[in-house]
């Protein structure tokens, strides 16, 4: 997968990550990638959005095209890696990222790439958070139904956690 990221700059000039000489393929600011990764791993949509806003402000005129391409490729790789962990290797993940690649290819400026990447990453995090939240609500609903059905009995946290197949300590944080 030599072509990790490309975007249009100017009239019809396309820069590709694979065309950069090897010494330049170093991420200009690894702290940005680390902050992005941390925000993704904690499903911090505001953190991801804030990072892209600060990147947009710091780019200004966008003179360092090569550094920008390397950074975007690194952020894309990080997004793929973290989403792969969050979704536990879902098969449609590659298709999801091809959607991002298509959005990037349609962009005409660095600012537009940042905006589209921001919207896409935040949407994916929101989608994952909603799915995870729905799953938690399902466990809580099952637990409440069990408690309602067994009100006359002496029920322990372990009993309820066993019903929903969870560790009692973790379940106590949900309920």
């Amino acid at each position: 997968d030599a072509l990790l990221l490309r975007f249009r700059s100017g009239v019809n000039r396309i820069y590709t990550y694979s065309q950069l000489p090897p010494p330049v393929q170093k991420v200009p600011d690894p702290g940005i990638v680390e902050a992005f990764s941390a925000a993704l791993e904690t499903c911090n949509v505001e953190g991801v959005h804030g990072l892209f806003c600060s990147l947009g402000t710091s780019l200004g005129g966008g003179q360092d095209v090569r550094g920008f391409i390397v950074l975007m490729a690194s952020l894309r790789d990080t997004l793929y890696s973290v989403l792969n962990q969050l979704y536990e290797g879902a098969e449609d993940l590659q298709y999801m990222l091809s959607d991002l690649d298509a959005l990037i290819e349609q962009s005409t400026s660095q600012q537009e790439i940042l905006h589209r990447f921001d919207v896409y990453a935040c949407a994916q995090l929101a989608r994952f958070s909603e799915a995870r939240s729905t799953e938690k609500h399902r466990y809580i609903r099952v637990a409440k139904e069990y408690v309602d059905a067994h009100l006359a009995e002496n029920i322990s946290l372990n009993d309820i956690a066993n019903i929903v197949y969870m560790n009692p300590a973790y379940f106590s944080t949900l309920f």
Side-chain angles (χ1 to χ4, degrees):
D1 190 7
L3 180 64
L4 296 175
L5 176 72
R6 67 182 185 178
F7 74 97
R8 297 188 187 285
S9 175
V11 182
N12 282 320
R13 185 156 183 189
I14 297 176
Y15 296 92
T16 62
Y17 182 73
S18 60
Q19 292 171 337
L20 299 177
V24 181
Q25 292 182 359
K26 190 175 114 190
V27 177
D29 185 356
I32 294 172
V33 177
E34 291 170 12
F36 183 61
S37 179
L40 289 173
E41 289 171 357
T42 58
C43 293
N44 182 352
V45 175
E46 293 83 16
V48 169
H49 179 66
L51 178 87
F52 280 103
C53 287
S54 67
L55 276 174
T57 303
S58 67
L59 280 177
Q63 294 85 0
D64 184 14
V65 174
R66 291 177 177 211
F68 180 77
I69 293 172
V70 172
L71 178 61
M72 290 296 102
S74 297
L75 292 178
R76 183 200 180 278
D77 290 347
T78 301
L79 179 65
Y80 178 79
S81 175
V82 172
L83 287 178
N84 195 37
Q85 290 172 353
L86 292 176
Y87 284 108
E88 297 174 351
E91 291 180 19
D92 65 340
L93 187 57
Q94 191 61 43
Y95 297 111
M96 290 167 41
L97 289 177
S98 64
D99 292 344
L100 173 61
D101 293 341
L103 289 172
I104 289 171
E105 286 184 22
Q106 296 167 7
S107 300
T108 58
S109 69
Q110 290 181 3
Q111 293 296 337
E112 190 176 356
I113 289 172
L114 286 174
H115 173 72
R116 289 179 183 219
F117 203 122
D118 176 18
V119 169
Y120 184 84
C122 289
Q124 290 304 318
L125 282 183
R127 179 179 165 216
F128 175 77
S129 294
E130 183 179 315
R132 188 171 61 178
S133 175
T134 302
E135 184 176 322
K136 287 179 183 178
H137 288 296
R138 182 173 50 93
Y139 289 127
I140 291 170
R141 182 182 47 77
V142 169
K144 284 182 179 180
E145 289 172 0
Y146 178 80
V147 170
D148 287 343
H150 298 88
L151 278 175
E153 300 173 24
N154 186 11
I155 306 169
S156 71
L157 174 63
N158 288 339
D159 295 333
I160 300 170
N162 286 335
I163 294 299
V164 292
Y165 305 103
M166 285 189 168
N167 178 302
Y170 177 70
F171 180 72
S172 69
T173 65
L174 298 179
F175 196 68

